[in-house]
Amino acid sequence: IEEMEKPNNRVRTWCEPEEYPEVVELLADRDIIGQLDEEEVPVVEGELVVNGIFGVEKPKDPPVKLKSGLMGPVLRLIMNLTNSNACQISIDGDISRLPTALQWNMVSLLAYEIIIWTSSDRRCFFYIFRIPRPWWKWQAFERKVEEVWLGKGGGAGLKRICSRVVGMGWLSAVGITQHLNRNMLNRQWRIPPQLRGGGKPGSSSDAASGSLKELKPRLELRRDRPLPYGFQAQETTAWAVYIDNFDEGEIIEREAG
């Protein structure tokens, strides 16, 4: 408590008034935001610990038509949680296990070998993880909204909203989501076959059938232990997860590729 910083009330919700109702309605419909009673919002040195929202442009997406009739860029939603972060100690989670790109450079191939690379990026990664109710108050936002915007039979009046999911700007977001993602991949075969698409251990990935490829924990590329590639024939594959990115490298003979 003694190390808490006084909240910076300069945080703002950077959204045009005519666009904001639609943004809030969409977030509520997807269960990304929830409601708080005003007395739930933390107070430090007489100031409410409230946060802001803004967007950054997604350059690869085509522009869209705004309420004003003008065209504008598609934005990625960012939760500015600097006020909340100042009142917390970071949960490191699995940060110490984050792989580095340089680790892949340690792989040596023989003259007759090549490496097959598989990579994927999970979309909206942080927002798929819901946080427990006691954490909501630390992700409250400074701009109140009309209750009717929140749907579900809401009445009149202003309501304080908060994030129900891991905010991208939360200081503990990386450590926690890295831990969750790693453990989901490491324990995927504990899921009953009928729930994971019917894949069998050792089978290849198949997007059409929904099957999954087994990921062996001992072959995970991690910062805190040696390179998993070995001299055994079955150890020609390694995989790594870096927050929302998944990478897998498999060494095969050039003729087989």
Side-chain angles (χ1 to χ4, degrees):
I1 296 296
E2 295 177 354
E3 298 179 357
M4 283 189 178
E5 298 179 17
K6 186 175 182 178
N8 178 358
N9 284 330
R10 289 178 294 179
V11 296
R12 293 289 182 268
T13 299
W14 295 95
C15 185
E16 296 296 336
E18 64 272 17
E19 301 287 344
Y20 199 48
E22 188 172 344
V23 172
V24 172
E25 289 170 4
L26 181 62
L27 294 176
D29 183 63
R30 297 183 177 180
D31 285 334
I32 291 177
I33 59 173
Q35 299 182 44
L36 287 175
D37 293 328
E38 197 65 13
E39 57 269 22
E40 292 184 83
V41 181
V43 178
V44 174
E45 295 189 19
E47 300 286 351
L48 290 175
V49 181
V50 289
N51 305 280
I53 299 175
F54 65 96
V56 295
E57 184 175 348
K58 301 180 69 173
K60 295 183 179 180
D61 289 12
V64 294
K65 191 172 184 179
L66 306 177
K67 293 284 187 180
S68 62
L70 301 175
M71 301 300 291
V74 174
L75 303 180
R76 184 190 307 276
L77 180 75
I78 305 293
M79 299 177 186
N80 179 5
L81 302 174
T82 53
N83 274 348
S84 177
N85 290 341
C87 304
Q88 300 178 45
I89 297 175
S90 175
I91 300 173
D92 292 338
D94 280 5
I95 288 181
S96 63
R97 295 179 175 86
L98 282 169
T100 67
L102 292 177
Q103 286 180 282
W104 290 108
N105 294 340
M106 298 171 62
V107 178
S108 298
L109 301 176
L110 300 177
Y112 59 86
E113 293 178 329
I114 61 174
I115 187 167
I116 302 296
W117 195 263
T118 301
S119 184
S120 65
D121 182 7
R122 181 172 291 181
R123 301 184 65 182
C124 303
F125 178 68
F126 292 104
Y127 298 152
I128 67 174
F129 297 106
R130 183 173 297 174
I131 59 177
R133 183 68 170 75
W135 279 98
W136 292 10
K137 62 184 180 182
W138 294 103
Q139 298 192 145
F141 297 112
E142 59 88 21
R143 186 187 293 186
K144 294 183 180 181
V145 306
E146 296 288 346
E147 186 174 4
V148 68
W149 298 354
L150 302 174
K152 302 177 182 178
L158 296 176
K159 286 290 183 180
R160 179 76 67 183
I161 60 172
C162 62
S163 174
R164 302 177 62 186
V165 299
V166 173
M168 188 178 293
W170 184 27
L171 84 167
S172 296
V174 170
I176 290 176
T177 56
Q178 175 72 6
H179 173 80
L180 294 173
N181 202 13
R182 283 189 60 254
N183 279 278
M184 286 192 297
L185 292 172
N186 277 319
R187 302 178 185 182
Q188 60 177 308
W189 296 111
R190 297 184 184 182
I191 302 174
Q194 65 270 24
L195 297 181
R196 64 173 185 251
K200 298 179 180 179
S203 63
S204 299
S205 299
D206 188 341
S209 65
S211 61
L212 299 171
K213 183 176 181 179
E214 181 181 16
L215 300 173
K216 297 179 180 179
R218 63 184 175 83
L219 298 181
E220 180 187 4
L221 188 71
R222 293 168 29 177
R223 180 184 305 179
D224 61 340
R225 69 183 187 188
L227 195 72
Y229 284 109
F231 295 100
Q232 301 180 41
Q234 68 269 28
E235 293 182 345
T236 58
T237 299
W239 61 275
V241 57
Y242 190 95
I243 313 175
D244 58 347
N245 293 303
F246 172 82
D247 297 296
E248 182 182 27
E250 181 178 4
I251 299 175
I252 64 173
E253 293 188 10
R254 187 180 299 273
E255 293 184 358

